Amino acid sequence: MDTKVMLDTLWVLITAMLVFFMNLGFATVEAGFQQSKNCVNILSKNFVVFACSTVAFWFIGWGLMFGDGSPFFGLQGLLMLKGADNSPATGDAYQGVYSSIAWTGVPLLAKFFFQLVFAGTAATIVSGSVGGRIKYLSFIIFSFFLVGFVYAIVGHWIWGGGWLAKLGMWDFAGSTVVHSVGGWAALAGAIILGPRFGKYVNGKINAIPGHNLSLGLIGTFVLWLGWFGFNPGSTMAADPRLISHICVTTNMAAATAILAATVTSWILLKKPDLGMTLNGCLAGLVAITAPCAFVSVESSAIIGLIAGVLVVLAVIFFDNVRVDDPVGATAVHLVNGVFGTLCVGLFAQDWVSPNTTGNGLFFG
């Protein structure tokens, strides 16, 4: 096997394993931000959701997302990875961010595993926002449908050569495909299920603090680490220059968002709030996910600063409109997923190939 193909494949698989490890981060963040009585339920959901995602994405999701077909969903090789490799990332079409680089040998199963861990991330975003209010079986069924159909079809629009890709949409590592899809699902779940008992009483908002912020802190560190697979891994190839650039822009956005969220919550709440600080870190990471390969380090710092302010304001906003989200998933993943996607248009640099749509996929 060609040395470059081996290195590219190793890079794809190792970064996919880092993204898989983010499941532990989501589990501990969500468990720590919940009441102690809901801890086992949250941990169980975060554990089983990746099993659901694996089966759903293997059985139907991959085919709908990457199978050749209409601008809206795949039509060929739909079930269980059968048939030819119909993903756009194959043969001459499989290229990195720079049009002069072509990766033709990364195996189908390596690409499948990398995309699978992204699909699982979209599903696990939801579990915290509906904590304490959804039956275990209902969540399992929901996860199958989200990953197998909703996530896959939206993913086809952008990463599968669908109608948004044809219009030139850029989303390098998934601010929209992964985070806002999960965020919209989280918002829908929180609205449909309603608030937890005691959250809103007689027109007042009652704080229900998480039972263990130590778990929340550990989980945030795990997610921060996993994001160095999430974003740089979306090159889908071992490109030293690009990987280095994405690592730095990713980290910079997280750092400035932490500081911005801390200061903003200190001003508005009259004291520093660790929960807001942790969500600030995640907000910065979500916001930089779409533009991480396309923006300068200076721009990534600005993106993080805005994301840190946005997440605090969004948490307060959703509370005021009576949307009970115990972990702030809507504020982190939905609001900053949308913001991060807009940042591509606001901050992208001229030196990036205009034919790049992201996640290592190239549609010339």
Side-chain angles (χ1 to χ4, degrees), residues 246-282:
I246 294 172
C247 279
V248 174
T249 56
T250 299
N251 188 70
M252 182 62 71
T256 56
I258 288 171
L259 298 176
T262 300
V263 171
T264 304
S265 62
W266 203 332
I267 292 171
L268 296 179
L269 304 177
K270 309 305 181 187
K271 61 180 180 179
D273 184 291
L274 178 57
M276 291 290 195
T277 298
L278 297 179
N279 272 339
C281 175
L282 300 179

Side-chain angles (χ1 to χ4, degrees), residues 5 48 51 83 91 165 242 306 308-310 353-354:
V5 173
V48 78
L242 187 58
I306 298 171
V309 175
L310 276 179
S353 166

Side-chain angles (χ1 to χ4, degrees), residues 50-346:
F50 192 74
C52 296
S53 301
T54 297
V55 175
F57 198 64
W58 164 74
F59 185 75
I60 184 67
W62 170 271
L64 286 174
M65 188 165 177
F66 291 115
D68 293 338
S70 75
F72 301 100
F73 51 85
L75 293 173
Q76 298 179 25
L78 287 182
L79 301 179
M80 297 177 286
L81 301 178
K82 299 299 183 184
D85 178 2
N86 291 314
S87 71
T90 188
D92 293 337
Y94 188 23
Q95 299 191 15
V97 162
Y98 304 108
S99 58
S100 62
I101 304 173
W103 326 112
T104 59
V106 176
L108 166 64
L109 291 181
K111 291 182 282 183
F112 168 76
F113 184 63
F114 186 83
Q115 293 296 336
L116 165 63
V117 293
F118 275 59
T121 299
T124 199
I125 287 169
V126 183
S127 61
S129 66
V130 297
R133 291 159 293 163
I134 190 170
K135 293 181 179 179
Y136 193 48
L137 179 60
S138 300
F139 182 75
I140 290 174
I141 295 171
F142 162 82
S143 298
F144 271 103
F145 277 93
L146 177 66
V147 172
F149 295 95
V150 178
Y151 171 82
I153 290 172
V154 175
H156 181 81
W157 298 348
I158 302 170
W159 289 345
W163 67 278
L164 286 175
K166 295 282 193 284
L167 291 174
M169 181 173 179
W170 299 2
D171 184 1
F172 188 78
S175 287
T176 287
V177 177
V178 179
H179 294 286
S180 77
V181 167
W184 286 114
L187 177 61
I191 292 172
I192 292 171
L193 294 172
R196 293 166 290 173
F197 291 118
K199 177 63 177 178
Y200 306 114
V201 180
N202 298 325
K204 294 183 178 180
I205 302 171
N206 297 317
I208 304 178
H211 83 286
N212 191 336
L213 283 182
S214 297
L215 278 177
L217 176 65
I218 292 169
T220 304
F221 267 123
V222 171
L223 290 172
W224 197 345
L225 171 65
W227 239 283
F228 296 125
F230 206 98
N231 287 0
S234 291
T235 58
M236 298 288 282
D239 180 326
R241 177 191 170 196
L242 187 58
I243 291 168
S244 302
H245 180 85
I246 294 172
C247 279
V248 174
T249 56
T250 299
N251 188 70
M252 182 62 71
T256 56
I258 288 171
L259 298 176
T262 300
V263 171
T264 304
S265 62
W266 203 332
I267 292 171
L268 296 179
L269 304 177
K270 309 305 181 187
K271 61 180 180 179
D273 184 291
L274 178 57
M276 291 290 195
T277 298
L278 297 179
N279 272 339
C281 175
L282 300 179
L285 292 167
V286 169
I288 198 60
T289 296
C292 59
F294 310 134
V295 300
S296 67
V297 176
E298 293 81 5
S299 294
S300 70
I302 296 170
I303 291 169
L305 285 172
I306 298 171
V309 175
L310 276 179
V311 72
V312 176
L313 297 179
V315 167
I316 295 171
F317 168 78
F318 284 121
D319 243 359
N320 285 331
V321 297
R322 303 301 192 265
V323 173
D324 183 16
D325 180 353
V327 301
T330 48
V332 171
H333 298 280
L334 173 54
V335 172
N336 282 284
V338 172
F339 169 64
T341 304
L342 295 175
C343 284
V344 177
L346 294 172

Side-chain angles (χ1 to χ4, degrees), residues 9-58:
T9 303
L10 281 173
W11 173 249
V12 169
L13 291 175
I14 290 170
T15 54
M17 293 172 197
L18 274 175
V19 179
F20 169 80
F21 190 54
M22 291 172 72
N23 285 281
L24 174 62
F26 280 110
T28 49
V29 166
E30 293 174 15
F33 275 52
Q34 301 279 348
Q35 294 172 279
S36 58
K37 66 179 181 179
N38 296 323
C39 185
V40 172
N41 177 265
I42 288 293
L43 293 174
S44 298
K45 287 191 297 184
N46 274 276
F47 192 69
V48 78
V49 72
F50 192 74
C52 296
S53 301
T54 297
V55 175
F57 198 64
W58 164 74

